[in-house]
Amino acid sequence: MADWTPDIELLQASDNEEWMQVERTYYGRLMAYVGRRIDDRQAREDVVQDVFFGAVRGIASFDSIYTFEQYLFGICRNRTIDNLRRRSSRGLGAAQESGDGMPGLDELIADEVTPSGVISERDLVDRGQDLLVALLKEWVQETWQLGEFTRLMVIEALFHGGWRNRDTWKRFDLKDESAVAGIKFRALKRLRSLANRRDPAGSLLLKLAEVAGEAGSHLELSVMQAWRVGKVSCPARYWMTRMIAGNLPDEPLRYVQFHLVEMKCEFCQANHDDLVRADEKGEDPLLDRLQASTVQFLRSHVIRPEEERME
Ligand SMILES: [Zn+2]
């Protein structure tokens, strides 16, 4: 099943039908995302409605380096954090820690905080992040195509999960810690040669390396962020559909489960919850309500660019 993506120009022209299709396509995923983090039903609906309003307001400055889904989830994440912050400052309690992969408030806001030392690196990190996303994606794709799922999981555990070598080799039944180091060494070597093609002068990477070498550098965080925000290894919705239908072969299945359960990918968890619920969903009064408000909003709306930011 190919995942529908909207025509950005139609959205920018405030095309009602295109926006309605956006809501039909994505609201289940957004509700699932928010549902994992906010208990209160009314608050959840408000947040999701707000996400669509925010998407309408920000679409004029949509950055095509991201997919539309990333754009929408970026807004959703910000709105969810805002809501949790407001609730916790009113003493209503933040999201609770649970075994279900729901992060606490601290975890949610941790990478939103910008320590003062990072600000001067901001530009560099942004550009570096784009390059990193592209490189990592390329590496993930070729590794997936080779069927090297253990290698893929090891690297994701290190780069995305921030696992240490000594925890990683046990999880994947490798011989010892040095096997992990070997996989990492080869992956970095390959990434460097991929980087060479995109940044032949090496100027960006050189600067990144300088920054990384400085004490208190936050570069490592940006690899982790590149992996998450860039959805570097997120399997297409098609794979998730096959997993739920029970006809995904063992090897990719092992990977998709690892990504969902151990890496706790928030995009894929939301996709998964939405797909699982799709069968049970019949009439949907909430979708009707959301769409009615959005139509009204589109009618009354004057587009103000620069209002929505990507993460
Ligand atoms: Zn994912």
Side-chain angles (χ1 to χ4, degrees):
M1 170 171 90
D3 202 13
W4 177 83
T5 52
D7 180 329
I8 300 297
E9 285 180 18
L10 283 176
L11 295 184
Q12 287 172 335
S14 296
D15 183 276
N16 261 1
E17 196 32 57
E18 199 71 356
W19 277 108
M20 293 304 96
Q21 184 61 35
V22 163
E23 291 202 352
R24 281 192 293 274
T25 306
Y26 295 105
Y27 105 102
R29 278 172 245 183
L30 294 172
M31 281 301 286
Y33 176 98
V34 177
R36 278 180 179 260
R37 291 158 180 84
I38 297 177
D39 295 335
D40 180 70
R41 188 183 160 76
Q42 188 56 49
R44 283 204 295 261
E45 294 188 20
D46 292 347
V47 167
V48 170
Q49 181 71 77
D50 220 27
V51 172
F52 288 120
F53 289 168
V56 170
R57 277 199 296 267
I59 197 69
S61 51
F62 178 80
D63 183 349
S64 60
I65 193 167
Y66 299 98
T67 65
F68 182 77
E69 190 181 14
Q70 286 172 307
Y71 166 73
L72 209 53
F73 270 90
I75 297 171
C76 186
R77 194 177 140 81
N78 289 339
R79 292 291 188 273
T80 302
I81 291 166
D82 289 348
N83 186 279
L84 289 171
R85 275 191 186 136
R86 275 201 300 276
R87 281 146 59 82
S88 88
S89 70
R90 290 208 309 261
L92 291 175
Q96 282 143 17
E97 205 55 67
S98 80
D100 187 33
M102 183 195 284
L105 183 61
D106 287 351
E107 269 178 278
L108 266 174
I109 60 176
D111 53 9
E112 300 282 299
V113 177
T114 310
S116 56
V118 182
I119 292 166
S120 58
E121 299 170 0
R122 193 74 252 165
D123 248 17
L124 175 62
V125 168
D126 280 350
R127 284 196 301 146
Q129 194 122 316
D130 294 345
L131 178 65
L132 273 174
V133 167
L135 293 175
L136 293 169
K137 268 191 176 155
E138 204 173 337
W139 183 86
V140 167
Q141 255 158 32
E142 66 183 26
T143 307
W144 180 292
Q145 272 157 16
L146 290 168
E148 294 283 356
F149 290 100
T150 298
R151 194 194 299 169
L152 178 56
M153 286 188 280
V154 166
I155 293 301
E156 178 161 354
L158 298 175
F159 286 17
H160 186 198
W163 291 13
R164 282 180 289 203
N165 289 9
R166 66 165 172 271
D167 303 316
T168 307
W169 72 270
K170 287 177 195 146
R171 162 63 180 84
F172 297 107
D173 296 324
L174 299 171
K175 196 161 81 344
D176 54 25
E177 229 176 293
S178 70
V180 175
I183 291 174
K184 186 175 173 183
F185 177 80
R186 282 188 298 277
L188 287 173
K189 195 173 160 198
R190 179 68 187 144
L191 282 165
R192 271 195 298 273
S193 86
L194 293 174
N196 235 357
R197 285 193 221 149
R198 287 171 187 267
D199 181 28
S203 52
L204 186 55
L205 288 171
L206 196 68
K207 274 196 217 140
L208 281 170
E210 277 168 26
V211 174
E214 285 165 15
S217 167
H218 292 79
L219 194 67
E220 205 160 340
L221 181 65
S222 84
V223 173
M224 224 181 259
Q225 272 188 336
W227 198 295
R228 181 180 62 78
V229 177
K231 295 175 73 186
V232 159
S233 64
C234 292
R237 205 161 147 92
Y238 159 82
W239 295 100
M240 209 81 79
T241 311
R242 287 189 61 180
M243 180 178 91
I244 290 162
N247 62 14
L248 188 58
D250 278 356
E251 280 295 288
L253 177 63
R254 227 158 50 88
Y255 172 73
V256 176
Q257 283 172 338
F258 162 79
H259 181 74
L260 274 174
V261 178
E262 288 171 83
M263 292 296 107
K264 301 183 171 68
C265 175
E266 52 192 22
F267 300 112
C268 292
Q269 284 174 344
N271 257 324
H272 177 266
D273 292 358
D274 178 39
L275 285 167
V276 167
R277 254 171 248 160
D279 296 339
E280 305 154 13
K281 221 159 43 185
E283 292 278 291
D284 212 326
L286 170 60
L287 179 60
D288 292 344
R289 279 208 302 283
L290 285 173
Q291 296 208 317
S293 326
T294 303
V295 167
Q296 222 176 9
F297 187 73
L298 278 165
R299 280 198 198 117
S300 65
H301 178 67
V302 181
I303 288 178
R304 281 164 292 173
E306 308 300 332
E307 197 157 323
E308 282 301 333
R309 64 190 156 86
M310 296 296 301
E311 290 183 62

